[in-house]
Amino acid sequence: MIRLENVVRTYVRHGQTVTALHCKHLKIEMGEYVAVIGPSGSGKTTLLSLLGGMLSPTAGQIYLDDCSLYEQSVAVRSAIRLSRMGFVFQTFNLIPYLTALQNVQVPLSLKGDARDVQDSVATSMLCRFGLGDRLNHKPSELSVGQQQRVALARTLVNGPQIILADEPTGNLDPASREVVLKAFDDCHSEGRTILMVTHDLAAAAHAGRRLVLREGSISEQSDVISEAA
Amino acid sequence: MTLKSLVWNELRERPWSVVSSSIAILLGVAALVAIRHVTVHSEQEVSRQLSSLGANILILPRDASLQNYYAADRNGQTLPEEHVSEVLLAGLPGVEKVSPKLSMPAKMGGLDVTLTGILPQSEFTAQAAWQTAAMFTPNRHEGCTKASHGPSDVDGTPESLNTSRSIDSLAKDQVVLGADVAERSAFSDGDTVEMLGGKFTVLGTLSRTGTVDDSRVFAHLHTVQDLAKTGEVCSAIEIIGCCEDAAGDLVPELSKLLPNTRIVTVSQVLQTQVGVNRLMGGTSWFVLGILVVVGGASLATAMAANVRERRREIGTLMAIGATPGFVLRLFLMKALILGVVAGTVGCLLGLVTAIIAGPQWAGVAIMPLWSLSLVAIVAATGIAVAAAYFPARHAAKLDPCSCFQEV
Ligand SMILES: Nc1ncnc2c1ncn2[C@@H]1O[C@H](COP(=O)(O)OP(=O)(O)OP(=O)(O)O)[C@@H](O)[C@H]1O
Ligand SMILES: [Mg+2]
């Protein structure tokens, strides 16, 4: 279970204070598929960063299974991300000088897996996304849709319980978009928790629950999706 | 995939930035290794010459030119033999041994040799006045021996010409052959040879010294004088002085005593070499300074730029679960590899330069000094890692949220 209590995140730039996010109370149960929608600058990425343990709140607490995330050290939060979370980015963020296989091996290597384990696990994960013949391609040698599939393979290779995705379909053609949404549906049915930031209302419809962000405040508005977008 | 292969892949992706970031360290190491190699060998050469030059003061004819200490007595000019007597009777403190030499070009069985007349120690014993003068010469400090001539019981063989540059006894019709002469003429002990119209018996041959002495034939001074009809002259007088006196008062005192001669010391002869060494020694510290400052600064700058352009990658790695420590190690490992590679390549470059240029710069042959090379590589690596430390720490402290930012 993920829980936010009285969380405020502000940014101070050039003497001006911007409140990017404020949230009295938010609870996400394990296994939930949550879509986060809202206009640009409303604080969606800020919310993901806070949940991912990468951005400490200006005030308030974020709990992961009743353990306060930001009372842990930086290294412990890294370990939590490595073992329990997976990120999907709009721009894929593949490491440009590594091959598809090597990119997928990175989380395994951080976990300390042996070379042969890394090879077999990463290869089977890429095959699952139909990239068995692209193992040794660099990201620049792959199509956009293939790149996002490599990124998905990298996200899922450590079997994360929580998937945090920031506009994962934003840069994709319809077919690739379907692959991503299908993967998320599969993850959901496997019991994983998914938090997906999206502008795509049809994509948001895949989620069981929708949060709307507006100027930093979160509301639960499953009935007014069209208005929020 | 390991930390190391991550670094390697990144390095392989941008070979030119690798070269440009570490070129200063590479060239610095190359210069340092080349200069140190030449300096060390040149210093060894000087000390080898110092220890092999038995006599540390030479009295030469006034106009003698001087290119080579060993050949200094072969310049065709002469000075009176009585200077030997003058020096000994003056009782100068610090004079330990005096040996006049007269060198002549000669033919020995078709072979060109330098016939060098020397005075055996037995001749000094015969001169009572010299012995007396020596007895009353004051000793300035411990370790100095008085002018002492006469047969010594340690060095009785011809080989003593090599070790103490004197011989106990040499009859008027005997010769001692230098190693080269002995080898090329195939004469050996007991053979009879003819030179300048005189007949000699070979008393012995000398072992190789690597100097011009190897091509000399040593005979009694007075025999050479008689055969060459030069009168009582010699071409040089070697003086073994006590180390401190040779460096200090002895040279001016000898100059005063023998105003019409040229007095030179070993250090004067070796001055050019010593000068080269001093210059090189100074230069190598300068190069080390440049290496540290320029090499370190250019690598640090390149690393900082590298961290800046990889911000999103670093953020992504952190989002995946890399700790700040991992990111720190990522950049330090890169610096380590750069340092080792630049150090090794620079070291090889410096070595090749030294081997090619050493004989021209300093007239010495260069052998690789492995410990020096190892120290240079380790130093280059240390500098690279130290220079990368602050950029690497900056990378480790980057905001992981930069993974969400567009490039
Ligand atoms: N590093 C930062 N420094 C200052 N202000 C920031 C920073 N990051 C975000 N903000 C501000 O916080 C607010 C929320 O930003 P955030 O990136 O969370 O929006 P978003 O909903 O993800 O927008 P988009 O849909 O365009 O990605 C914005 O007003 C933004 O200007
Ligand atoms: Mg955003």
Side-chain angles (χ1 to χ4, degrees):
Chain A
M1 182 191 57
I2 304 166
R3 195 155 49 88
L4 281 76
E5 297 290 352
N6 301 314
V7 168
V8 179
R9 175 65 210 199
T10 58
Y11 292 103
V12 182
R13 277 289 183 281
H14 313 293
Q16 279 195 312
T17 306
V18 177
T19 303
L21 193 88
H22 53 95
C23 167
K24 266 202 100 57
H25 181 83
L26 176 72
K27 205 159 139 183
I28 298 166
E29 294 294 342
M30 283 299 153
E32 270 195 290
Y33 187 172
V34 182
V36 180
I37 50 181
S40 180
S42 57
K44 303 183 295 294
T45 301
T46 303
L47 176 65
L48 275 194
S49 306
L50 284 165
L51 295 176
M54 300 196 295
L55 182 70
S56 48
T58 315
Q61 293 288 338
I62 296 167
Y63 297 94
L64 181 63
D65 295 339
D66 294 322
C67 146
S68 176
L69 198 54
Y70 288 91
E71 277 170 11
Q72 311 295 323
S73 70
V74 175
V76 169
R77 275 182 273 142
S78 298
I80 291 172
R81 276 198 299 278
L82 181 62
S83 60
R84 302 187 59 185
M85 297 180 181
F87 283 87
V88 188
F89 309 94
Q90 179 174 2
T91 47
F92 326 133
N93 292 13
L94 294 174
I95 296 173
Y97 51 84
L98 297 183
T99 63
L101 184 68
Q102 289 171 326
N103 263 287
V104 179
Q105 284 175 340
V106 169
L108 298 168
S109 134
L110 287 173
K111 206 174 74 182
D113 279 352
R115 258 220 149 95
D116 48 340
V117 176
Q118 289 183 27
D119 278 343
S120 63
V121 173
T123 305
S124 70
M125 189 53 95
L126 281 166
C127 290
R128 193 181 128 186
F129 283 100
L131 292 165
D133 53 349
R134 293 287 188 280
L135 296 181
N136 296 317
H137 285 53
K138 296 260 174 78
S140 59
E141 297 156 358
L142 295 170
S143 77
V144 170
Q146 286 167 338
Q147 287 181 45
Q148 186 62 307
R149 279 188 272 157
V150 174
L152 272 176
R154 182 180 67 183
T155 305
L156 299 178
V157 78
N158 264 349
Q161 296 167 340
I162 303 161
I163 295 164
L164 303 169
D166 197 0
E167 294 179 38
T169 57
N171 278 358
L172 298 181
D173 62 290
S176 303
R177 176 181 164 276
E178 284 312 313
V179 172
V180 173
L181 291 174
K182 165 88 169 51
F184 282 2
D185 286 343
D186 291 348
C187 288
H188 182 223
S189 59
E190 284 163 15
R192 300 180 213 253
T193 312
I194 302 165
L195 214 91
M196 177 175 67
V197 168
T198 186
H199 283 126
D200 178 348
L201 294 178
H206 286 249
R209 179 181 172 195
R210 282 161 290 270
L211 297 176
V212 178
L213 264 172
R214 211 183 294 257
E215 288 178 10
S217 77
I218 305 175
S219 53
E220 205 103 22
Q221 285 181 301
S222 50
D223 45 337
V224 285
I225 297 167
S226 48
E227 196 193 313
Chain B
M1 183 65 8
T2 59
L3 178 67
K4 210 163 72 199
S5 50
L6 205 63
V7 174
W8 266 120
N9 279 292
E10 202 264 335
L11 286 172
R12 278 222 312 266
E13 191 75 357
R14 323 158 193 239
W16 285 111
S17 86
V18 169
V19 171
S20 68
S21 62
S22 52
I23 189 84
I25 289 186
L26 189 151
L27 292 179
V29 170
L32 193 66
V33 166
I35 290 171
R36 286 306 305 169
H37 266 87
V38 174
T39 311
V40 167
H41 284 90
S42 183
E43 276 167 3
Q44 281 172 355
E45 176 64 16
V46 167
S47 67
R48 194 187 65 77
Q49 287 189 20
L50 275 173
S51 66
S52 67
L53 290 174
N56 35 33
I57 297 177
L58 268 185
I59 302 172
L60 297 172
R62 196 175 179 73
D63 304 318
S65 68
L66 187 67
Q67 264 108 35
N68 182 324
Y69 190 95
Y70 292 97
D73 60 334
R74 292 199 304 186
N75 45 42
Q77 289 160 329
T78 55
L79 69 170
E81 192 195 332
E82 65 183 5
H83 284 346
V84 175
S85 182
E86 284 171 52
V87 170
L88 286 169
L89 292 177
L92 298 176
V95 173
E96 291 183 356
K97 228 168 223 180
V98 183
S99 64
K101 274 183 175 178
L102 174 64
S103 293
M104 287 283 139
K107 275 209 180 310
M108 187 182 80
L111 196 68
D112 283 318
V113 296
T114 301
L115 179 61
T116 299
I118 52 172
L119 216 48
Q121 295 297 300
S122 52
E123 293 283 343
F124 291 89
T125 327
Q127 300 275 353
W130 294 354
Q131 294 292 316
T132 322
M135 273 171 64
F136 290 101
T137 303
N139 242 1
R140 258 189 218 158
H141 35 249
E142 290 297 315
C144 266
T145 50
K146 292 184 181 189
S148 57
H149 293 89
S152 64
D153 27 44
V154 259
D155 261 337
T157 60
E159 188 61 23
S160 64
L161 267 173
N162 275 352
T163 53
S164 63
R165 294 181 81 73
S166 64
I167 186 164
D168 278 353
S169 56
L170 185 67
K172 295 231 162 142
D173 62 347
Q174 286 179 325
V175 287
V176 174
L177 306 182
D180 263 350
V181 178
E183 199 177 288
R184 287 193 293 149
S185 67
F187 284 120
S188 56
D189 298 9
D191 288 350
T192 304
V193 297
E194 211 183 301
M195 269 177 298
L196 299 178
K199 270 199 165 56
F200 299 90
T201 313
V202 177
L203 174 67
T205 56
L206 300 175
S207 62
R208 189 166 293 279
T209 59
T211 67
V212 73
D213 279 357
D214 291 345
S215 57
R216 287 185 199 267
V217 173
F218 294 94
H220 195 291
L221 176 65
H222 296 156
T223 312
V224 178
Q225 285 171 349
D226 288 346
L227 290 173
K229 299 187 178 61
T230 55
E232 294 195 345
V233 295
C234 51
S235 17
I237 301 170
E238 288 184 355
I239 293 184
I240 296 182
C242 163
C243 42
E244 286 179 42
D245 287 304
D249 299 339
L250 196 50
V251 172
E253 278 171 16
L254 282 169
S255 301
K256 210 159 61 187
L257 182 69
L258 308 169
N260 289 320
T261 58
R262 179 165 178 199
I263 318 280
V264 294
T265 61
V266 170
S267 62
Q268 275 174 308
V269 179
L270 296 176
Q271 211 136 50
T272 32
Q273 193 115 20
V274 169
V276 168
N277 289 353
R278 202 168 298 144
L279 181 75
M280 300 273 238
T283 314
S284 60
W285 288 115
F286 180 70
V287 171
L288 188 66
I290 297 268
L291 168 65
V292 171
V293 174
V294 178
S298 78
L299 193 101
T301 314
M303 272 292 177
N306 190 239
V307 168
R308 229 174 297 125
E309 73 193 44
R310 290 170 70 188
R311 277 181 57 209
R312 198 155 70 110
E313 179 196 327
I314 295 163
T316 305
L317 283 170
M318 287 175 158
I320 291 173
T323 58
F326 178 89
V327 175
L328 185 79
R329 286 200 301 280
L330 185 70
F331 284 92
L332 290 185
M333 170 77 83
K334 175 170 173 171
L336 185 87
I337 292 175
L338 286 180
V340 170
V341 172
T344 309
V345 174
C347 190
L348 290 175
L349 193 69
L351 213 57
V352 170
T353 310
I355 289 170
I356 293 171
Q360 283 157 26
W361 287 354
V364 288
I366 307 287
M367 295 292 288
L369 302 168
W370 299 117
S371 58
L372 170 69
S373 308
L374 193 71
V375 167
I377 295 172
V378 170
T381 311
I383 290 166
V385 172
Y389 180 71
F390 286 99
R393 216 181 55 166
H394 175 69
K397 286 183 171 171
L398 273 182
D399 181 6
C401 294
S402 49
C403 63
F404 292 117
Q405 280 150 20
E406 302 278 331
V407 246

